[in-house]
Amino acid sequence: MSILVSGATGFIALHVVSDLLKQDYKVIGTVRSQEKANKLRKQFDNNPNLSFELVSDIAAPEAFDKVFKKHGKDIKVVLHTASPVTVETTNYEKDLLLPAVNGTKSILESIKKYAADSVERVVITSSYASVMNVSKEGDGSIVYTEKDWNPATWENCQIDGLNAYCGSKKLAEKAAWDFFEENKNVVKFKMSTINPTYVFGPQLFDEDVNDKLNASCELINSIVKNNPQVEYLLENVKGHFVDVRDVAKAHLVAFQKDEAVGRRLLTSNGRFAYQDLVDVINEDFPQLKGKVIVGKPGTGKQSYGTFPGINNNRSKEILGFEFISLHKTVHDTAAQVLKKEGKL
Ligand code: NDP
């Protein structure tokens, strides 16, 4: 039996693939090009349990058909992580909504067509973006749980990159649950979603630490690199965090535990303000003294009441493991960047 991981090149997906291989699963990863497959094959030391299929654009009609035509009977678990992660676009439909929503629908349609009797579990990588209401980000009286939904619609989310990204995640997740509801008598699988907040933590492979990192880790990279936008980020960025190693673990628990069936697993380990990230970096890396922003040390918590909270006790109970702390996730992310630069 195999596990299909879509978007295997991704920041989160690489940790998922690594955890799956450590637990001796056979993994089929979808990637956009042969070059990407070759690179990953090498990075995973030609692990015989890892193979690849090309899906060059998840937005294309029937994008996953050939994968399930070929492997459908062997695939028992599908982890759909592929989705565009950016807020830096103005072509909201092409760059965000269509790949997110069509990609999710088409992987589920392919399962229905070619693997309705064999796929047992599906885990969709959704997001906290699918839970929260972007227009209420300044409301400290709200406490979100797994039951809440971003009210975004296809039309009203197309106002800026942030709204469109959050809308893409909400509409994709909603499409998945709707598909499940409409087809639960036709397909064998049970479904769960993982809804992470900002995901920090190291890249699986040190060599993938580039000048610019994936969207969430770039917040920390920007401090270490003292990028010009840090002043703006210090004023504006606050939210909730989770470490990538915990998000990966959650993907495995989601298909391994019966309690996770039918659940939205909201993975978050608490609030942060950008000042908190700045503080960890200043405290832990004296070699950066005088070279990075300092802000007002120790004041991050003062802004915690100015944005919604999260109660994800139910998800934590189901997942059943201790989450990595803010200090460790920020430390490990920054340390890997410094190591790459020869400054550790
Ligand atoms: P990455 O950008 O690192 O990974 C995204 C993956 O999706 C990559 O494999 C990418 O391929 C693939 N992909 C994107 N668009 C397409 C497309 N049109 N066709 C085929 N493949 C595509 O992001 P993350 O690992 O951070 O995110 C993974 C998932 O987690 C996403 O669903 C995201 O929404 C969700 N998430 C992430 C959070 C975060 O803070 N990072 C927070 C909450 C949810 P390629 O590498 O070739 O570009």
Side-chain angles (χ1 to χ4, degrees):
M1 83 103 160
S2 294
I3 299 189
L4 185 81
V5 180
S6 70
T9 46
F11 165 57
I12 294 172
L14 284 170
H15 285 271
V16 172
V17 169
S18 169
D19 284 3
L20 290 168
L21 293 172
K22 279 187 202 145
Q23 293 190 21
D24 287 331
Y25 288 108
K26 274 176 72 183
V27 179
I28 302 169
T30 72
V31 293
R32 291 208 239 199
S33 68
Q34 191 56 50
E35 292 68 43
K36 292 187 181 191
N38 296 344
K39 180 179 170 204
L40 286 192
R41 192 168 284 123
K42 218 164 139 195
Q43 287 181 313
F44 282 100
D45 292 328
N46 293 307
N47 189 316
N49 282 338
L50 179 61
S51 62
F52 299 97
E53 290 295 336
L54 300 190
V55 175
S56 57
D57 185 6
I58 54 171
E62 305 179 335
F64 289 94
D65 271 15
K66 61 180 191 319
V67 177
F68 284 92
K69 227 185 233 175
K70 185 168 164 192
H71 297 286
K73 298 290 163 249
D74 176 45
I75 296 171
K76 293 270 180 293
V77 177
V78 173
L79 308 180
H80 180 50
T81 82
S83 206
V85 186
T86 182
V87 294
E88 287 165 12
T89 176
T90 49
N91 199 341
Y92 309 125
E93 289 199 345
K94 179 175 167 291
D95 294 341
L96 288 166
L97 293 162
L98 289 169
V101 177
N102 289 1
T104 303
K105 282 184 181 167
S106 83
I107 201 165
L108 297 175
E109 288 290 351
S110 301
I111 297 172
K112 183 180 164 187
K113 255 196 256 176
Y114 299 104
D117 296 333
S118 39
V119 171
E120 293 170 2
R121 297 291 277 264
V122 171
V123 180
I124 306 280
T125 314
S126 185
S127 175
Y128 171 60
S130 165
V131 172
M132 56 95 155
N133 180 343
V134 186
S135 70
K136 297 209 167 147
E137 266 306 83
D139 186 344
S141 70
I142 298 174
V143 178
Y144 291 116
T145 72
E146 297 83 353
K147 292 198 174 90
D148 290 301
W149 279 93
N150 176 348
T153 64
W154 188 279
E155 293 73 27
N156 78 13
C157 76
Q158 298 190 47
I159 45 175
D160 60 22
L162 177 66
N163 275 274
Y165 171 70
C166 294
S168 79
K169 295 306 291 178
K170 180 271 172 100
L171 295 165
E173 188 192 330
K174 184 74 175 47
W177 288 115
D178 287 350
F179 178 97
F180 180 73
E181 217 27 60
E182 286 156 21
N183 292 282
K184 62 183 176 204
N185 298 323
V186 190
V187 296
K188 181 178 181 185
F189 70 77
K190 304 273 181 268
M191 202 174 85
S192 321
T193 64
I194 306 291
N195 297 65
T197 49
Y198 278 106
V199 183
F200 300 141
Q203 309 295 313
L204 183 67
F205 299 110
D206 289 350
E207 66 171 332
D208 290 337
V209 175
N210 297 319
D211 253 9
K212 194 166 179 200
L213 295 182
N214 61 291
S216 46
C217 292
E218 185 56 23
L219 292 176
I220 294 169
N221 192 35
S222 292
I223 303 170
V224 177
K225 299 251 163 63
N226 201 29
N227 287 344
Q229 70 269 30
V230 283
E231 298 280 355
Y232 172 84
L233 297 174
L234 188 62
E235 284 303 307
N236 292 286
V237 173
K238 51 202 170 192
H240 302 261
F241 77 95
V242 60
D243 187 275
V244 66
R245 292 159 287 194
D246 290 335
V247 176
K249 250 193 223 177
H251 279 76
L252 274 73
V253 174
F255 74 81
Q256 291 171 332
K257 268 196 180 174
D258 287 343
E259 300 94 294
V261 166
R263 297 279 176 187
R264 303 171 84 203
L265 298 164
L266 184 45
T267 53
S268 174
N269 198 26
R271 298 180 196 248
F272 75 92
Y274 202 70
Q275 180 68 55
D276 300 325
L277 316 183
V278 167
D279 288 353
V280 172
I281 289 169
N282 278 287
E283 274 163 43
D284 287 9
F285 303 105
Q287 63 272 49
L288 294 176
K289 198 173 164 51
K291 296 181 183 143
V292 297
I293 193 166
V294 175
K296 296 183 185 132
T299 60
K301 284 192 175 54
Q302 289 171 11
S303 69
Y304 284 10
T306 64
F307 60 98
I310 291 179
N311 178 342
N312 62 338
N313 290 343
R314 186 72 190 110
S315 299
K316 283 189 159 176
E317 208 175 285
I318 293 168
L319 291 169
F321 58 82
E322 204 54 45
F323 282 21
I324 290 170
S325 69
L326 182 67
H327 196 111
K328 180 166 172 56
T329 194
V330 177
H331 177 100
D332 291 355
T333 313
Q336 192 184 38
V337 174
L338 289 169
K339 186 174 164 200
K340 179 82 179 228
E341 293 182 343
K343 293 181 188 159
L344 197 60

